[in-house]
Amino acid sequence: MSERLQILTIDTERRNRREYIQALDPPHRVVFCSSGEDVLSVLKQTEFDIIIFGLHGGDDEGFGILGNVADWSSHTPVLAAGGSEEPSLIVRAIKGGAFDFVSRPFSKEKLFVAIERAVENRNLRNEIDYLRRSQDVIYDFDQIIAFSPVMKKLIETLKKFSRTDSTILVTGETGTGKSFLSGAVHFNSMRRGKPFIKINCANIPDTLLESELFGHEKGAFTGASKTRIGRLEQGKGGTVFLDEIGEMALALQAKLLRFLEEKAFERLGGNRTIQSDVRLIAATNRNPEEQVQEGKCREDLYYRLNVLRVHLPPLRDRKECIPSLACHLLDRSCRQIGKYIKGFTPQVLDWFTDYRWPGNIRQLANTIERAVILEDSDIIRTDSIHLPDSPIVSQQNASREVQTAVRSLDSHERQMILNALDACLWVQKDAAALLGISARALNYKIKKFNITHARWRRNR
């Protein structure tokens, strides 16, 4: 273990101190405490990575102090150390708040393994707590960016939906945030402590989607070497989000309908009925009524899904949200990429508001991420923004955006080629490999942008 830890040892037997020193020091810093009365004051003054508590036989007072230590410092793992491995002693220690039990005399290797396991468990619990707190913030309905009247009304509707267990059908164009808002419904419901599982029906072939949803038994098909638990079973007690449900095959729709009606199913290749209480949220970017008329969606499944219905408007219909949403996405991209950019120029924000965003929030996020990568100053300028033409952009805006995008793209493409050549000591073959293009394509770009270098033979 390379990490240097701050360890508190609590043992009323002072003669055990040498054993602790030999086992732990170096590399760790060890603090000793032999009196139960001093433990609380020591814990108040110093933060420890781990606590080792010495137990001696049936010492009731020692077990009482162990319980107090576990309560006082619940975030710090406690290892109980005893002179015997009697099962009753170990069970009592674990019930008293110890993470693990180690016996004396100490084996340095055995003690280090126990410490490493305890520290890993502590780090994992801290990470889980952090993620849970992050989810509380991320999925807080009151923190969701919703300044347009239509979004304010939608959020109020979702708050009501989150208090129920009924099936929800979410419709809207691709990239409008259907998955995110479904997560908000789950994390604000009574099921928040249970799993939230997302499945994109369009990304999984029909032959595999049934196994993904319901699982399969060993030998159910070629390659099924062991039993697999499906996502509907894994999500027991929680919420399952089925994205792009309009892409699901009709045969599988029948099995999903039965599950919605009975909360029961059989694994693929099995005959044992499995019960699983999950809430289902389905989403589609298609018109479900049209799919029913075209025979692509079972009518009975449609009515079973369409208990609670919500439609997410496209980004172009909630322009009031765009500036704040852009700033949020900028902050997220900066944290992910490791750059500091304080905001956008007024012209960029005007472009964002005027643009029609056919790809909605997903397109806005990708546009901002690209701009963060390209921008060299502390503010996003128009040169770093590329907004491709769209049939729903006004002719005037489309012309301005395309012209600017072409100039910006050429400028940054030339700079990327120069950077690659410089990194590869101006060896064109190596630069082409670094850029992921052929040597012929790089040669064409070099001629196009009139790039020269003194080392190249044609320049001599």
Side-chain angles (χ1 to χ4, degrees):
M1 183 187 301
S2 59
E3 183 182 1
R4 188 173 189 269
L5 303 176
Q6 183 101 330
I7 300 176
L8 173 65
T9 61
I10 305 170
D11 201 318
T12 56
E13 298 290 338
R14 292 181 176 273
R15 64 175 179 270
N16 292 329
R17 178 173 295 195
R18 181 179 296 275
E19 190 175 359
Y20 289 119
I21 292 175
Q22 291 175 345
L24 299 170
D25 189 19
H28 306 301
R29 181 177 183 273
V30 184
V31 176
F32 297 95
C33 189
S34 59
S35 171
E37 290 77 12
D38 296 336
V39 173
L40 180 57
S41 61
V42 171
L43 288 174
K44 285 182 176 180
Q45 294 174 6
T46 309
E47 186 76 19
F48 293 95
D49 295 299
I50 197 164
I51 299 171
I52 301 178
F53 193 98
L55 290 172
H56 304 283
D59 181 9
D60 290 336
E61 182 181 355
F63 279 103
I65 298 173
L66 171 63
N68 290 334
V69 169
D71 291 337
W72 293 334
S73 194
S74 58
H75 58 285
T76 305
V78 179
L79 292 179
S84 69
E85 292 186 342
E86 294 180 12
S88 59
L89 179 64
I90 297 173
V91 170
R92 190 176 178 186
I94 300 299
K95 286 185 175 180
F99 169 76
D100 201 354
F101 183 92
V102 289
S103 59
R104 280 195 302 266
F106 294 132
S107 159
K108 190 167 186 176
E109 292 75 16
K110 185 178 180 180
L111 183 59
F112 271 37
V113 168
I115 291 174
E116 194 167 45
R117 285 180 53 215
V119 171
E120 286 179 357
N121 179 267
R122 177 205 63 186
N123 294 341
L124 182 60
R125 284 191 290 110
N126 289 342
E127 184 176 351
I128 291 172
D129 289 343
Y130 171 78
L131 291 173
R132 283 175 176 167
R133 288 194 298 272
S134 298
Q135 286 175 342
D136 289 342
V137 175
I138 292 171
Y139 290 110
D140 184 353
F141 277 128
D142 294 329
Q143 299 297 320
I144 294 175
I145 298 171
F147 294 111
S148 64
V150 65
M151 282 301 295
K152 289 179 180 178
K153 184 177 180 180
L154 185 143
I155 294 299
E156 292 303 315
T157 300
L158 290 178
K159 285 182 180 179
K160 296 175 182 177
F161 286 2
S162 67
R163 303 186 193 113
T164 74
D165 255 353
S166 300
T167 304
I168 301 176
L169 179 61
V170 186
T171 59
E173 295 180 6
T174 298
T176 50
K178 298 186 292 292
S179 175
F180 172 78
L181 289 177
S182 298
V185 170
H186 169 76
F187 285 102
N188 286 276
S189 72
M190 295 298 291
R191 297 176 179 265
R192 61 177 300 164
K194 299 295 183 177
F196 176 61
I197 294 176
K198 296 187 285 187
I199 305 171
N200 191 314
C201 301
N203 289 346
I204 305 173
D206 294 338
T207 53
L208 298 179
L209 185 56
E210 183 176 0
S211 173
E212 182 73 14
L213 287 171
F214 301 102
H216 63 254
E217 298 290 351
K218 181 179 179 180
F221 51 84
T222 303
S225 57
K226 60 181 179 180
T227 298
R228 184 181 188 276
I229 295 175
R231 305 292 268 169
L232 292 175
E233 191 173 350
Q234 292 174 358
K236 189 173 184 179
T239 304
V240 172
F241 172 66
L242 295 180
D243 199 7
E244 306 298 354
I245 197 168
E247 308 301 323
M248 183 180 289
L250 288 171
L252 190 52
Q253 290 181 26
K255 191 168 184 178
L256 179 64
L257 175 63
R258 184 227 169 174
F259 171 74
L260 286 170
E261 292 175 341
E262 303 176 11
K263 298 294 184 183
F265 62 93
E266 289 82 36
R267 296 191 191 118
L268 188 62
N271 53 20
R272 183 167 62 91
T273 299
I274 299 169
Q275 299 285 336
S276 183
D277 172 32
V278 301
R279 182 190 197 170
L280 195 70
I281 301 178
T284 179
N285 62 358
R286 300 180 181 273
N287 185 315
E289 288 79 14
E290 289 181 0
Q291 286 204 295
V292 170
Q293 293 176 1
E294 295 169 1
K296 297 179 180 178
C297 176
R298 292 177 59 107
E299 187 173 11
D300 46 5
L301 177 63
Y302 164 69
Y303 288 124
R304 193 63 185 81
L305 291 173
N306 197 33
V307 179
L308 301 176
R309 177 81 167 266
V310 63
H311 178 74
L312 267 65
L315 192 56
R316 59 184 173 273
D317 291 344
R318 35 176 160 149
K319 291 181 178 293
E320 299 91 335
C321 303
I322 291 177
S324 296
L325 190 57
C327 291
H328 168 74
L329 294 171
L330 173 64
D331 180 64
R332 188 181 72 177
S333 292
C334 286
R335 281 187 278 108
Q336 291 174 345
I337 296 170
K339 293 179 71 174
Y340 169 72
I341 297 178
K342 63 184 180 182
F344 306 92
T345 64
Q347 187 178 5
V348 169
L349 289 177
D350 288 342
W351 282 15
F352 284 172
T353 305
D354 292 341
Y355 191 62
R356 301 282 288 176
W357 298 110
N360 294 293
I361 298 174
R362 188 172 298 146
Q363 183 187 5
L364 175 62
N366 292 341
T367 299
I368 291 174
E369 181 179 352
R370 179 181 184 276
V372 170
I373 293 172
L374 296 177
E375 187 59 65
D376 295 324
S377 68
D378 63 350
I379 191 166
I380 300 293
R381 299 167 298 177
T382 55
D383 289 347
S384 299
I385 300 297
H386 172 57
L387 294 179
D389 193 10
S390 167
I392 51 178
V393 182
S394 68
Q395 190 64 38
Q396 181 180 358
N397 284 344
S399 177
R400 180 186 65 183
E401 289 160 358
V402 170
Q403 290 172 10
T404 303
V406 169
R407 290 195 302 269
S408 176
L409 186 61
D410 284 348
S411 173
H412 288 290
E413 188 176 16
R414 185 178 192 276
Q415 187 59 49
M416 288 175 66
I417 292 172
L418 287 171
N419 292 342
L421 287 167
D422 187 60
C424 297
L425 302 177
W426 293 82
V427 177
Q428 294 185 31
K429 182 180 178 181
D430 294 344
L434 181 63
L435 291 167
I437 61 177
S438 66
R440 179 178 294 180
L442 178 59
N443 196 346
Y444 167 79
K445 297 288 186 181
I446 287 172
K447 292 178 180 178
K448 175 184 176 182
F449 296 124
N450 195 28
I451 297 173
T452 61
H453 190 266
R455 286 180 53 188
W456 290 346
R457 186 176 303 162
R458 66 183 177 88
N459 294 322
R460 294 176 182 174

